[in-house]
Amino acid sequence: MPKALREIYGEVLRDVGRENKDIVVLDADLSGSTKSAIFGKEFPERFFNMGIAEANMVSTAAGLAAGGKIPFVNTFTVFLTTIGLIATRGLVCYGNLNVKFGGAYGGVSAAYDGASHHALEDIANMRALPNMLVICTCDENSTRQATEFAVKHNGPVYLRLSRETFPDLYQAGESAFEFGKAKIVRDGTDCTIMGCGIMVHHALQAADILAGKGISARVVDMSTIKPIDRDMIERCIVETGAIVSAEEHNIIGGLGSAIAEAMATMDVHAPMEFVGTEDTFTESGKYADLLKKYKLDPETIAAKAEKAVSRKK
Amino acid sequence: MNKLRLTEERIAQLTDKARLFRIDVLKSVHQVQSGHPGGSLSMTEILTVLYLEKLHINVNDPTDRDVDHVVLSKGHGSPMLYRLLAEVGYFPKEELMNLRHINALLQGHPTNHIPGVDMPSGPLGSAFGAAQGLALAQRLDGLDRRTYAILGDGEINEGAVWEVAMSASKFKLDNLIAILDYNKVQLDGTNDEIMPLGDVPEKWRQFGWNVIECDGHDIVDVNRALDEAIAAKGKPNMIVAHTVKGKGVSYMEGKAAWHGKAIPDDLMKVAMDELGGEM
Ligand SMILES: Cc1ncc(C[n+]2csc(CCOP(=O)(O)OP(=O)(O)O)c2C)c(N)n1
């Protein structure tokens, strides 16, 4: 039975906390939801519930990091990457401090809570900060390995998580996450769909739809959004000639933007289409219904892929 | 504005309305298996007296500036706000049974696309400053109107709340009436467990506010507190309403676990029995 990404993350925090006594965890009155409470239960002396005070939480984490600790800050990512942003930019990133950001409830996964709680600009906010690494994984094993990477890396890391349970993509023991390296999870020759998070799974379904139409789609898991894997982008442009980005995020400033920025400075180019929310606020609803209504579904990815292929010269 | 003492008959009427509002709100969060029962129930009497006794509003003309404003800064209490907005005629109360549905009117947290909502809220701490802005606008327009802001006790963990505590005092914003739904419980636990608040009334007094305490479940006492705040001059007002999270449903009372938990059918039945409602 696959587990929710937040659950896996909470368990990894506890596991790495057993090995490394410098790991400290902070939350802003949402530890039951972010699952940081799993760590807090075992290590109450290294767990700080800051109350509903995200700015204070990130500033405190900056100080803990300067004091040699490895703080993980946690809350709904829509608040972490907005209310927490001033300290993230001005202290953590400017100071290149060793703070890790657990972004629970990425995308529209806070479904019924509505637009106020959906995080669709977080990747843009975090990606634009010098020194910040941005990671968005798609299953249990990749989340586990990305969280372990965050502990080892010295510097700020943003892990974009989800409230939801995603299907397994990688087997246990397999290398499911390599920092800075995208992974081809299905090969194809006519176009490449580059996705992150839940959209990797939707891209695989889109590839099935496209196969039925005689289009061979490659699917790439772009779990590291920053720094973006330029070599993989270049290779896919050359080998497939069309690119589609797919993310549970505004099409402005996220994964698609990162890919397009990279391609613009390459000697090879390909037609590109973007799948994501189209610069709009969302609404309350069931997660699956929201993914459909806001065009984050396999059908939309397939349609955009067809369009990208049709634009080839 | 009604400064007359409430008659026994009116008290009985409002008391019964509050009971019916609790029933409707629980039904609205039960049907979608999502939403926040605890913090909706704790402010039932506050919103009942505010909307049905005190507010000067114009349901038919959203451009009318000569009205009182309400900002539900603790936006997750939206189901009870929506029930009152339906009661005063902004939309049919049947809309509550579509709460949080896709393509429906009533969002998980308030937005100003919803008739009767003056300000979006949901990110705790942020909307309180907007209430200050609305109150300043009323004063600039020379209106004898007020802006009410309803805050949660967990919400006042946010530093932004204390920025308003200073600025509204500087501006002597006596048409701003904040109401703290002081149920002593937030999300992960009680205030004392998560973020001890100390002497809440005294803190606001020290920030220069006119502080009034009341029993937030006693219609008469809430009415008195609002009258005092409306009459007061020279300082912003903070009504510290002592309440119980989940008030009215025995198994929810005082429990953080019922902050935002879906109500299963068997417990819904218990709640309806206790409140005299039907499933
Ligand atoms: C900025 C921000 N951080 C976190 C949350 C998530 N959250 C929603 S309600 C809540 C607890 C609120 O407690 P309190 O203010 O006491 O509300 P009440 O008990 O009256 O329901 C939290 C942490 C939020 N909505 N906004």
Side-chain angles (χ1 to χ4, degrees):
Chain A
M1 228 337 239
K3 288 180 192 153
L5 253 50
R6 52 177 174 154
E7 189 92 35
I8 298 155
Y9 166 80
E11 290 173 6
V12 179
L13 281 190
R14 178 201 57 205
D15 296 348
V16 294
R18 284 176 183 158
E19 288 159 27
N20 190 331
K21 302 290 175 232
D22 279 335
I23 291 176
V24 294
V25 173
L26 297 85
D27 205 298
D29 196 22
L30 279 164
S31 69
S33 306
T34 66
K35 302 299 173 191
S36 73
I38 298 173
F39 178 98
K41 205 166 158 231
E42 186 157 329
F43 306 107
E45 72 292 351
R46 285 192 269 146
F47 177 75
F48 302 96
N49 197 326
M50 306 299 293
I52 310 168
E54 298 76 10
N56 186 15
M57 174 171 73
V58 179
S59 295
T60 304
L64 283 160
K69 301 298 168 192
I70 307 173
F72 278 73
V73 292
N74 303 276
T75 183
F76 289 171
T77 198
V78 69
F79 306 131
L80 183 62
T81 59
T82 52
I83 303 177
L85 194 61
I86 182 65
T88 304
R89 179 185 187 273
L91 310 180
V92 177
C93 288
Y94 188 30
N96 198 16
L97 297 169
N98 199 17
V99 178
K100 318 302 169 182
F101 297 78
Y105 293 28
V108 296
S109 68
Y112 288 111
D113 280 334
S116 59
H117 285 53
H118 295 167
L120 295 165
E121 313 85 22
D122 56 311
I123 296 174
N125 287 345
M126 297 302 250
R127 199 171 72 84
L129 301 173
N131 290 327
M132 180 67 79
L133 309 182
V134 179
I135 294 168
C136 177
T137 47
C138 72
D139 82 340
E140 166 157 2
N141 285 310
S142 54
T143 302
R144 198 172 286 283
Q145 292 174 25
T147 310
E148 288 162 0
F149 162 78
V151 176
K152 292 197 195 90
H153 173 80
N154 186 17
V157 179
Y158 175 47
L159 297 171
R160 200 228 208 185
L161 305 164
S162 177
R163 176 176 203 267
E164 283 290 318
T165 304
F166 295 169
D168 288 333
L169 184 62
Y170 301 103
Q171 305 304 312
E174 187 183 351
S175 163
F177 172 81
E178 260 180 282
F179 171 66
K181 293 260 174 289
K183 282 188 190 302
I184 297 177
V185 295
R186 170 174 172 147
D187 213 354
T189 53
D190 298 331
C191 66
T192 302
I193 306 166
M194 306 190 118
C196 61
I198 186 69
M199 300 303 274
V200 176
H201 301 279
H202 290 186
L204 288 167
Q205 292 171 37
D208 285 338
I209 299 172
L210 290 162
K213 299 183 170 184
I215 296 172
S216 161
R218 174 182 286 177
V219 176
V220 178
D221 176 2
M222 301 293 289
S223 50
T224 308
I225 296 174
K226 185 184 172 188
I228 197 86
D229 185 349
R230 289 179 64 91
D231 292 346
M232 177 63 82
I233 295 168
E234 184 156 356
R235 181 178 155 193
C236 293
I237 294 168
V238 171
E239 291 177 0
T240 70
I243 304 286
V244 178
S245 61
E247 60 196 308
E248 194 185 350
H249 185 272
N250 196 346
I251 54 171
I252 295 176
L255 172 65
S257 298
I259 295 168
E261 287 159 13
M263 177 157 67
T265 59
M266 290 176 185
D267 294 331
V268 292
H269 299 110
M272 180 172 174
E273 295 291 330
F274 297 77
V275 176
T277 53
E278 303 201 343
D279 204 22
T280 178
F281 283 103
T282 49
E283 65 185 273
S284 291
K286 191 194 273 184
Y287 186 57
D289 294 346
L290 290 169
L291 292 175
K292 237 186 182 36
K293 176 161 179 180
Y294 289 91
K295 300 204 159 50
L296 304 167
D297 56 339
E299 290 72 21
T300 302
I301 298 174
K304 294 262 176 147
E306 275 192 85
K307 188 166 173 209
V309 169
S310 76
R311 285 174 54 207
K312 284 194 199 183
K313 296 240 169 59
Chain B
M1 233 186 321
N2 177 357
K3 282 186 189 159
L4 297 177
R5 276 193 51 189
L6 296 173
T7 62
E8 289 305 320
E9 191 190 350
R10 184 63 179 152
I11 295 165
Q13 213 174 38
L14 291 173
T15 305
D16 200 51
K17 275 191 185 288
R19 180 181 70 83
L20 296 172
F21 295 160
R22 285 193 163 90
I23 292 169
D24 289 346
V25 159
L26 289 175
K27 283 182 176 169
S28 74
V29 296
H30 175 252
Q31 58 80 27
V32 68
Q33 288 291 291
S34 168
H36 299 84
S40 293
L41 297 184
S42 61
M43 56 176 196
T44 311
E45 284 77 14
I46 295 168
L47 290 192
T48 301
V49 178
L50 183 61
Y51 272 89
L52 303 187
E53 286 296 315
K54 301 298 166 204
L55 284 187
H56 179 96
I57 47 181
N58 184 345
V59 176
N60 301 314
D61 181 7
T63 66
D64 188 350
R65 289 196 198 180
D66 190 13
V67 293
D68 292 328
H69 296 294
V70 177
V71 174
L72 182 65
S73 197
K74 46 166 279 189
H76 58 280
S78 57
M80 191 56 77
L81 174 70
Y82 297 155
R83 182 62 190 84
L84 268 299
L85 292 178
E87 186 70 11
V88 296
Y90 280 107
F91 44 79
K93 84 165 197 173
E94 285 68 35
E95 279 294 341
L96 267 95
M97 292 309 275
N98 298 321
L99 176 73
R100 294 182 165 229
H101 289 203
I102 198 160
N103 299 323
L105 177 68
L106 300 181
Q107 299 300 302
H109 293 77
T111 87
N112 52 347
H113 317 148
I114 299 171
V117 176
D118 293 326
M119 186 59 60
S121 57
L124 294 168
S126 304
F128 190 26
Q132 168 171 258
L134 280 161
L136 283 168
Q138 289 169 320
R139 191 162 78 182
L140 286 170
D141 281 348
L143 301 171
D144 182 23
R145 297 292 172 221
R146 279 151 199 86
T147 296
Y148 296 85
I150 295 133
L151 300 160
D153 46 37
E155 180 178 17
I156 72 170
N157 295 170
E158 288 284 358
V161 169
W162 300 95
E163 296 172 21
V164 180
M166 284 183 275
S167 55
S169 178
K170 168 184 170 177
F171 301 138
K172 303 185 171 45
L173 205 53
D174 54 14
N175 62 329
L176 178 64
I177 301 181
I179 306 171
L180 181 69
D181 179 2
Y182 194 13
N183 60 32
K184 287 93 184 164
V185 178
Q186 40 196 92
L187 194 149
D188 272 340
T190 62
N191 300 151
D192 284 345
E193 288 162 342
I194 306 305
M195 190 50 62
L197 297 174
D199 187 340
V200 171
E202 185 54 25
K203 283 186 180 174
W204 287 92
R205 240 174 252 126
Q206 290 295 330
F207 275 88
W209 288 54
N210 175 41
V211 177
I212 302 159
E213 289 185 66
C214 74
D215 175 345
H217 297 303
D218 180 331
I219 298 273
V220 177
D221 210 33
V222 171
N223 187 63
R224 172 201 53 86
L226 285 165
D227 280 346
E228 280 182 33
I230 290 164
K233 292 274 169 264
K235 294 174 177 183
N237 302 281
M238 169 54 83
I239 298 177
V240 177
H242 294 274
T243 56
V244 175
K245 195 150 173 165
K247 175 75 177 179
V249 178
S250 58
Y251 58 85
M252 288 188 188
E253 288 192 0
K255 300 267 190 343
W258 287 100
H259 171 77
K261 195 157 95 171
I263 310 169
D265 289 349
D266 55 334
L267 288 178
M268 183 63 184
K269 173 95 178 51
V270 174
M272 288 302 105
D273 286 348
E274 290 181 7
L275 290 165
E278 310 256 309
M279 278 293 269

